[in-house]
């Protein structure tokens, strides 16, 4: 991943999309990527990370028990539901419903990325978490999703189980942290950071201005 986006006047601009698959606002933003691409011609680079791992490195995790204001879970649920209605997309809040290993989605997206399917796998994983009415999922379900995408399943399974993939994720975390990422979703365009689903409109303004 690089912050060297396309310069003004060049044919195709690129935006880095840094997201957590367990993040409701990352899910909501992801539903708009295809539209923004159609309307602006921009290319998005999908960079999955574990939100849990990112926040664990912060000394001021805002999601501690008893969080208030914008981090209160009830408020966030209502806010996410409102955004989903605005976008016209489904939203099934996983809090209190779904259990899964927090690192699994990020590793699955990275493993699929080794076969050029990061975005496709991410859409599948977002659906598992924020659309389907399930109570759990694990490696078996993730591998089944990979098979349905046409991945080399043996390779995908081996990558998913490898320590090398964990190290790749760690490198991704270090890189995005060095660029100032403190939460997800984050968009980078021309060295400018846009944090949050609600800043997507500001990113779109910047893209259209170019």
């Amino acid at each position: 991943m690089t912050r060297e986006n396309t310069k003004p006047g060049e044919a195709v601009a690129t935006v880095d999309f840094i997201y957590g698959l367990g993040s409701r606002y990352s899910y909501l933003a992801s539903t708009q990527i295809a539209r923004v691409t159609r309307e602006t011609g921009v290319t998005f680079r999908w960079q999955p990370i574990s939100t849990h791992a990112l926040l664990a490195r912060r000394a001021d995790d805002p999601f501690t028990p008893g969080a208030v204001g914008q981090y209160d879970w009830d408020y966030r649920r209502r806010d996410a539901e409102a955004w989903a209605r605005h976008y016209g997309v489904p939203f099934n809040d996983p809090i209190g419903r779904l259990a899964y290993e927090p690192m699994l989605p990020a590793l699955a997206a990275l493993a699929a990325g080794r076969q050029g399917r990061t975005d496709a796998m991410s859409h599948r994983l977002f659906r598992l978490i924020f659309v389907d009415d399930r109570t759990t999922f694990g490696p078996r379900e993730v591998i089944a999703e990979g098979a349905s995408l046409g991945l080399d399943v043996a390779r995908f399974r081996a990558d998913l189980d490898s320590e090398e993939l964990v190290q790749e994720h760690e490198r991704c975390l270090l890189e995005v942290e060095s660029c100032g990422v403190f939460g997800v979703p984050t968009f980078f365009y021309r060295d400018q950071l846009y944090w949050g689903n609600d800043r997507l409109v500001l990113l779109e303004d910047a893209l259209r201005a170019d």
Side-chain angles (χ1 to χ4, degrees), residues 21 26 34 39 54 71 74 78 81 85 88-89 99 116 128 138 142 152 159 166 171 174 176 178 185 195 204:
L21 287 148
S26 291
E39 294 177 359
L54 177 66
Y71 295 105
D74 286 339
R78 294 192 302 271
E81 289 171 348
R85 287 192 298 271
V89 298
L128 287 179
V142 167
D152 178 330
D159 285 338
V166 175
R171 289 193 298 272
L174 290 172
V176 301
S178 72
W195 170 63
E204 291 183 63

Side-chain angles (χ1 to χ4, degrees), residues 94-177:
I95 300 299
R97 169 181 59 84
L98 181 64
Y100 60 93
E101 168 54 46
M103 279 289 292
L104 177 60
L107 294 178
L110 288 173
R114 293 182 171 188
Q115 300 185 46
R117 303 306 303 274
T118 305
D119 54 346
M121 176 57 79
S122 295
H123 284 304
R124 297 294 183 100
L125 294 166
F126 277 134
R127 190 201 70 226
L128 287 179
I129 297 170
F130 292 103
V131 178
D132 290 355
D133 190 22
R134 62 176 64 237
T135 58
T136 188
F137 70 87
R140 183 174 63 180
E141 288 76 17
V142 167
I143 290 168
E145 294 292 343
S148 71
L149 288 174
L151 299 184
D152 178 330
V153 173
R155 179 184 171 191
F156 180 61
R157 182 184 288 109
D159 285 338
L160 194 58
D161 290 339
S162 70
E163 179 59 29
E164 183 184 347
L165 195 68
V166 175
Q167 294 171 0
E168 179 181 341
H169 178 264
E170 176 65 16
R171 289 193 298 272
C172 291
L173 276 181
L174 290 172
E175 183 173 4
V176 301
E177 284 182 307

Side-chain angles (χ1 to χ4, degrees), residues 21-43:
L21 287 148
S23 158
R24 63 190 71 193
Y25 292 110
S26 291
Y27 159 67
L28 290 164
S30 77
T31 68
Q32 303 305 298
I33 298 299
R35 175 187 60 77
V36 176
T37 297
R38 287 194 307 270
E39 294 177 359
T40 67
V42 70
T43 295

Side-chain angles (χ1 to χ4, degrees), residues 34-88:
R35 175 187 60 77
V36 176
T37 297
R38 287 194 307 270
E39 294 177 359
T40 67
V42 70
T43 295
F44 283 85
R45 284 191 291 244
W46 292 61
Q47 179 58 71
I49 60 172
S50 166
T51 311
H52 178 81
L54 177 66
L55 293 178
R57 303 160 86 98
R58 290 181 51 170
D60 58 343
D61 182 350
F63 297 105
T64 52
V68 297
Q70 65 176 320
Y71 295 105
D72 173 77
W73 284 117
D74 286 339
Y75 171 79
R76 291 173 72 79
R77 175 182 53 78
R78 294 192 302 271
D79 187 60
E81 289 171 348
W83 275 104
R85 287 192 298 271
H86 176 70
Y87 287 151

